[in-house]
Amino acid sequence: MKILHICNISNRKDSGMSVVIPQHLNVQSRIEQVICINFCSTHFKLCDNVKYYALDGFSRNKIKYILKNIGKIDLVIFHGMYLPNLWKIWRYFVMKKNIPYVVVPHGSSTNFAQRKSKLKKRLANIVCVNSYMKNSQAIHFLSYQEMKETKKRWKERYFIVGNGIYPAEKNEYQSCKKSSIDLVYIGRLDIYHKGLDILLEACKEIDDYLRKYTVKIYLYGPDVCGDKEKLIDMIRKFEISDIVKVCDPIYEEEKRKILNSTDYFIQTSRFEGMPMGILEALSYGIPVIVSEGTGMAELVLNNECGWVGNNCVDISKAIIKAIDSKEDQKKYEENAFKCAKLFFWDSIAKETINNYKKIINEQVDVSE
C-alpha cells in the first residue's frame, strides 16, 4: 500500500502537529510505503524509507513532477482543515484523479475551534471546507470527544485513533519527595485555546486551600501573541503569585527533569485533538487533571488515572480531589502508566494502517 501524507508543518517544538506528524510517518513506514509532501521547507528526522518532499509553498509544476515520480497512490492523508495549500492539491490533483483520501482535523473541527475566528471559518466552510470534508472517504479523529462534536456537522464515516508516545524509561516515572505539591502544565501560553484563564480562576477559587497544602502550579511554554504578560497580570490581579508561576518553555532533557519531579499534570484546554502533553505525562506515570475540552476526559475517568472538570469551579474541585487522594498516589501513578501503554506508537501505527486498508478495500469493492 502506498500512502501519501500532505501537511504544512514547521519544526516548531510547541506545535502539536509538527511534533506528531513526523512520528506518524516514521512508524507507518515500518509497515507500508509512506510518502510525505510538506508545504514548508523544513526537514525532520525521518526514517530512510520515508520519501519526503519539502516545498516552499504551492507550485503546480512541482506537484505534477512529484506525483509523476511517486506513481500510483492508494490513499492520501490530509493533515489539517484550514490550510489553503492543502485545498489546492485536493482540488487540482486528488479530486481530478479520483484518489481516495482521509482528513485528519487535528482538533480544528471541534465546537470551540469553530468559534475561533468564527466568520473567517464560516466563509471558508462555505467556499471549500464543507466539500473537502464531505468528499473524503473518512475523517480520522484523534479522540471520541472530537468525533462527537464533528460527526453531525460533516460526515458519518470516520474512525478514531489517537496520537502516540514512546515509553519513558523505567526510572523516569518514579515520584520524588519534595516539600511542595507540584502541578505542571507544559504547552503554549495561549489563554483562550488552552483555557489558562479557567485554570487561574480555579486557583483563585481555592487559593487558601492551595496555600495550606503548599501547592505550586508551574506553567511552562512559549508566548502566544503577548499572552504571557496577560497571564502574569491575571496572576497579580488574583493575588496568587505565590502559587502560580509562569515559566519559559522547556524541551528534551529539561522537560524530562520537570516531569520526573512533578506530582500532577494539569491541562484545562477549551478544545484539542489529542494533547501530547497529557499523553507524555501519563507515560511518566503522572496522574492528570484535565478539562473535557482536552478530549481526554472519558479516557482519564475510565482508567482512573486522574480527575476531570469543565469550568473553573469543576477544575478547583478536581484539584482538591487530587490532593486529597494523595494517599492513593501510587495507584493513580500505576494507572497512568497503564493508560499510556494504550498509546505506544507501534500500536497506534498498526491500528491506523488497518483503518486505511478497510477504506482502500471498500473502494476496490465499489469499483468492481
Side-chain angles (χ1 to χ4, degrees):
M1 179 168 57
K2 194 181 288 184
I3 308 160
L4 173 62
H5 289 260
I6 311 287
C7 59
N8 193 339
I9 56 172
S10 65
N11 57 1
R12 281 177 50 198
K13 293 180 179 179
D14 62 314
S15 165
M17 288 175 68
S18 297
V19 171
V20 301
I21 291 173
Q23 300 308 326
H24 278 290
L25 300 176
N26 284 333
V27 292
Q28 289 182 20
S29 72
R30 297 171 193 166
I31 306 171
E32 300 291 346
Q33 189 175 352
V34 171
I35 307 105
C36 177
I37 296 175
N38 182 19
F39 288 107
C40 183
S41 54
T42 305
H43 291 274
F44 298 90
K45 289 182 181 178
L46 297 171
C47 297
D48 292 339
N49 45 345
V50 176
K51 204 164 188 177
Y52 178 72
Y53 299 90
L55 302 180
D56 187 13
F58 183 88
S59 164
R60 285 201 193 192
N61 291 335
K62 285 181 181 178
I63 298 295
K64 282 182 182 177
Y65 176 78
I66 291 168
L67 293 179
K68 187 177 179 181
N69 271 356
I70 292 170
K72 184 179 181 298
I73 298 161
D74 295 297
L75 188 67
V76 176
I77 313 300
F78 287 103
H79 292 274
M81 287 175 58
Y82 296 97
L83 299 164
N85 285 331
L86 271 64
W87 300 341
K88 290 174 186 176
I89 194 170
W90 162 72
R91 179 166 285 169
Y92 297 132
F93 296 99
V94 174
M95 290 296 285
K96 282 187 178 180
K97 292 178 180 291
N98 200 29
I99 304 170
Y101 70 95
V102 170
V103 177
V104 192
H106 289 279
S108 296
S109 60
T110 62
N111 292 335
F112 267 116
Q114 287 295 302
R115 288 178 203 142
K116 194 173 183 180
S117 303
K118 186 176 179 179
L119 292 178
K120 287 182 180 178
K121 283 180 178 170
R122 185 175 287 178
L123 178 61
N125 291 345
I126 294 168
V127 172
C128 186
V129 175
N130 288 340
S131 180
Y132 168 69
M133 298 291 279
K134 288 176 180 177
N135 282 293
S136 68
Q137 272 56 56
I139 300 176
H140 174 180
F141 296 115
L142 301 175
S143 69
Y144 174 79
Q145 184 69 24
E146 185 185 23
M147 178 279 293
K148 194 168 69 171
E149 294 188 13
T150 306
K151 188 166 79 81
K152 290 181 181 178
R153 185 182 292 121
W154 273 299
K155 197 171 183 68
E156 289 295 321
R157 178 63 194 271
Y158 66 89
F159 62 91
I160 303 171
V161 182
N163 289 321
I165 46 172
Y166 292 105
E169 293 179 16
K170 190 173 181 180
N171 65 350
E172 288 187 327
Y173 57 86
Q174 303 300 316
S175 293
C176 300
K177 292 182 179 178
K178 309 179 302 303
S179 58
S180 62
I181 298 172
D182 294 344
L183 279 67
V184 164
Y185 161 78
I186 301 174
R188 295 193 306 280
L189 300 180
D190 184 329
I191 293 174
Y192 181 79
H193 182 177
K194 302 299 181 180
L196 297 175
D197 52 334
I198 297 170
L199 175 55
L200 295 186
E201 287 166 10
C203 292
K204 178 60 180 173
E205 192 83 17
I206 54 168
D207 56 350
D208 290 337
Y209 175 90
L210 297 176
R211 290 187 182 95
K212 178 182 177 181
Y213 288 95
T214 322
V215 177
K216 304 293 181 184
I217 299 172
Y218 299 93
L219 311 179
Y220 293 95
D223 188 15
V224 174
C225 301
D227 276 8
K228 183 176 182 178
E229 277 304 314
K230 292 176 186 175
L231 282 171
I232 292 169
D233 287 343
M234 287 176 71
I235 290 166
R236 288 192 194 117
K237 180 183 174 183
F238 290 163
E239 299 180 333
I240 51 173
S241 299
D242 57 323
I243 298 168
V244 184
K245 307 292 181 186
V246 179
C247 310
D248 291 334
I250 50 173
Y251 304 107
E252 297 169 356
E253 186 58 35
E254 189 179 3
K255 180 164 71 170
R256 284 192 285 273
K257 286 179 182 177
I258 295 298
L259 289 173
N260 190 38
S261 63
T262 195
D263 297 287
Y264 304 98
F265 188 92
I266 187 163
Q267 186 158 340
T268 55
S269 301
R270 286 183 164 87
F271 56 94
E272 295 284 354
M274 173 162 278
M276 292 304 297
I278 296 172
L279 286 182
E280 194 167 15
L282 292 172
S283 76
Y284 280 78
I286 302 170
V288 297
I289 301 164
V290 300
S291 63
E292 291 180 11
T294 61
M296 302 283 280
E298 189 172 0
L299 180 84
V300 167
L301 292 175
N302 288 346
N303 289 275
E304 294 186 75
C305 57
W307 302 264
V308 172
N310 199 38
N311 52 48
C312 67
V313 175
D314 289 347
I315 294 296
S316 64
K317 288 177 181 177
I319 293 170
I320 291 172
K321 283 180 185 176
I323 294 165
D324 287 350
S325 302
K326 195 67 178 163
E327 290 181 2
D328 296 322
Q329 181 87 356
K330 192 67 180 174
K331 180 190 83 171
Y332 282 99
E333 289 174 358
E334 290 171 356
N335 288 347
F337 188 68
K338 285 177 186 175
C339 181
K341 285 184 177 180
L342 301 172
F343 297 92
F344 285 174
W345 272 117
D346 286 345
S347 300
I348 293 295
K350 288 174 186 174
E351 193 176 350
T352 306
I353 292 292
N354 285 340
N355 279 286
Y356 292 170
K357 286 180 177 177
K358 286 178 187 176
I359 291 166
I360 292 169
N361 290 337
E362 286 173 8
Q363 293 299 114
V364 171
D365 291 342
V366 169
S367 64
E368 290 176 350

